[in-house]
mmCIF file of all heavy atoms in Angstrom:
data_model
loop_
_atom_site.group_PDB
_atom_site.id
_atom_site.type_symbol
_atom_site.label_atom_id
_atom_site.label_comp_id
_atom_site.label_asym_id
_atom_site.label_seq_id
_atom_site.Cartn_x
_atom_site.Cartn_y
_atom_site.Cartn_z
ATOM 1 N N PRO A 93 92.979 114.070 101.858
ATOM 2 C CA PRO A 93 93.276 112.694 101.512
ATOM 3 C C PRO A 93 94.028 112.449 100.134
ATOM 4 O O PRO A 93 94.744 111.514 100.048
ATOM 5 C CB PRO A 93 91.833 112.078 101.411
ATOM 6 C CG PRO A 93 91.047 112.897 102.314
ATOM 7 C CD PRO A 93 91.521 114.354 102.108
ATOM 8 N N THR A 94 93.879 113.422 99.244
ATOM 9 C CA THR A 94 94.694 113.307 98.046
ATOM 10 C C THR A 94 96.204 113.482 98.162
ATOM 11 O O THR A 94 96.991 113.041 97.505
ATOM 12 C CB THR A 94 94.255 114.304 96.933
ATOM 13 O OG1 THR A 94 94.506 115.557 97.280
ATOM 14 C CG2 THR A 94 92.722 114.117 96.628
ATOM 15 N N PHE A 95 96.536 114.191 99.278
ATOM 16 C CA PHE A 95 97.910 114.464 99.501
ATOM 17 C C PHE A 95 98.788 113.275 99.818
ATOM 18 O O PHE A 95 99.981 113.225 99.482
ATOM 19 C CB PHE A 95 98.064 115.469 100.726
ATOM 20 C CG PHE A 95 97.466 116.809 100.457
ATOM 21 C CD1 PHE A 95 97.158 117.641 101.540
ATOM 22 C CD2 PHE A 95 97.003 117.325 99.238
ATOM 23 C CE1 PHE A 95 96.596 118.932 101.427
ATOM 24 C CE2 PHE A 95 96.375 118.515 99.066
ATOM 25 C CZ PHE A 95 96.193 119.343 100.143
ATOM 26 N N SER A 96 98.130 112.281 100.327
ATOM 27 C CA SER A 96 98.864 111.054 100.815
ATOM 28 C C SER A 96 99.168 110.184 99.533
ATOM 29 O O SER A 96 99.844 109.145 99.682
ATOM 30 C CB SER A 96 98.098 110.270 101.870
ATOM 31 O OG SER A 96 96.815 109.870 101.247
ATOM 32 N N ALA A 97 98.744 110.562 98.394
ATOM 33 C CA ALA A 97 98.941 109.691 97.242
ATOM 34 C C ALA A 97 100.392 109.522 96.892
ATOM 35 O O ALA A 97 100.895 108.539 96.363
ATOM 36 C CB ALA A 97 98.249 110.360 95.977
ATOM 37 N N PHE A 98 101.326 110.520 97.284
ATOM 38 C CA PHE A 98 102.685 110.425 96.961
ATOM 39 C C PHE A 98 103.417 109.438 97.944
ATOM 40 O O PHE A 98 104.762 109.332 97.758
ATOM 41 C CB PHE A 98 103.267 111.722 96.985
ATOM 42 C CG PHE A 98 102.763 112.587 95.772
ATOM 43 C CD1 PHE A 98 101.652 113.377 95.833
ATOM 44 C CD2 PHE A 98 103.473 112.537 94.540
ATOM 45 C CE1 PHE A 98 101.207 114.069 94.710
ATOM 46 C CE2 PHE A 98 102.967 113.168 93.448
ATOM 47 C CZ PHE A 98 101.839 113.986 93.578
ATOM 48 N N VAL A 99 102.855 108.778 98.876
ATOM 49 C CA VAL A 99 103.527 107.825 99.624
ATOM 50 C C VAL A 99 103.771 106.452 98.855
ATOM 51 O O VAL A 99 104.628 105.712 99.205
ATOM 52 C CB VAL A 99 102.815 107.509 100.973
ATOM 53 C CG1 VAL A 99 102.666 108.736 101.834
ATOM 54 C CG2 VAL A 99 101.465 106.810 100.787
ATOM 55 N N ALA A 100 102.856 106.233 97.829
ATOM 56 C CA ALA A 100 103.006 105.030 97.013
ATOM 57 C C ALA A 100 103.994 105.305 95.884
ATOM 58 O O ALA A 100 104.007 106.352 95.176
ATOM 59 C CB ALA A 100 101.637 104.612 96.435
ATOM 60 N N PRO A 101 104.936 104.292 95.642
ATOM 61 C CA PRO A 101 105.885 104.480 94.549
ATOM 62 C C PRO A 101 105.120 104.702 93.268
ATOM 63 O O PRO A 101 104.200 103.986 92.970
ATOM 64 C CB PRO A 101 106.626 103.052 94.511
ATOM 65 C CG PRO A 101 106.449 102.574 95.968
ATOM 66 C CD PRO A 101 105.038 103.019 96.403
ATOM 67 N N LEU A 102 105.671 105.517 92.364
ATOM 68 C CA LEU A 102 105.058 105.786 91.129
ATOM 69 C C LEU A 102 106.112 105.725 90.067
ATOM 70 O O LEU A 102 107.172 106.491 90.189
ATOM 71 C CB LEU A 102 104.337 107.218 91.080
ATOM 72 C CG LEU A 102 103.855 107.795 89.767
ATOM 73 C CD1 LEU A 102 102.742 106.746 89.356
ATOM 74 C CD2 LEU A 102 103.373 109.166 89.926
ATOM 75 N N GLU A 103 105.949 105.054 89.072
ATOM 76 C CA GLU A 103 106.923 104.853 88.011
ATOM 77 C C GLU A 103 107.247 106.234 87.372
ATOM 78 O O GLU A 103 106.306 106.982 86.974
ATOM 79 C CB GLU A 103 106.505 103.859 86.898
ATOM 80 C CG GLU A 103 107.388 103.510 85.884
ATOM 81 C CD GLU A 103 106.976 102.444 84.919
ATOM 82 O OE1 GLU A 103 106.387 101.497 85.344
ATOM 83 O OE2 GLU A 103 107.223 102.580 83.725
ATOM 84 N N GLY A 104 108.487 106.566 87.271
ATOM 85 C CA GLY A 104 108.808 107.904 86.641
ATOM 86 C C GLY A 104 108.941 108.980 87.670
ATOM 87 O O GLY A 104 109.332 110.130 87.351
ATOM 88 N N LEU A 105 108.777 108.660 88.926
ATOM 89 C CA LEU A 105 108.782 109.737 90.044
ATOM 90 C C LEU A 105 109.793 109.157 91.021
ATOM 91 O O LEU A 105 109.627 108.169 91.650
ATOM 92 C CB LEU A 105 107.367 109.965 90.616
ATOM 93 C CG LEU A 105 107.328 111.086 91.525
ATOM 94 C CD1 LEU A 105 107.399 112.477 90.843
ATOM 95 C CD2 LEU A 105 105.971 111.038 92.334
ATOM 96 N N SER A 106 110.794 109.962 91.293
ATOM 97 C CA SER A 106 111.911 109.569 92.268
ATOM 98 C C SER A 106 111.363 109.658 93.716
ATOM 99 O O SER A 106 110.397 110.408 93.936
ATOM 100 C CB SER A 106 113.189 110.366 92.021
ATOM 101 O OG SER A 106 112.919 111.657 92.383
#
Side-chain angles (χ1 to χ4, degrees):
T94 69
F95 300 164
S96 60
F98 289 91
V99 300
L102 175 64
E103 191 173 316
L105 188 71
S106 72

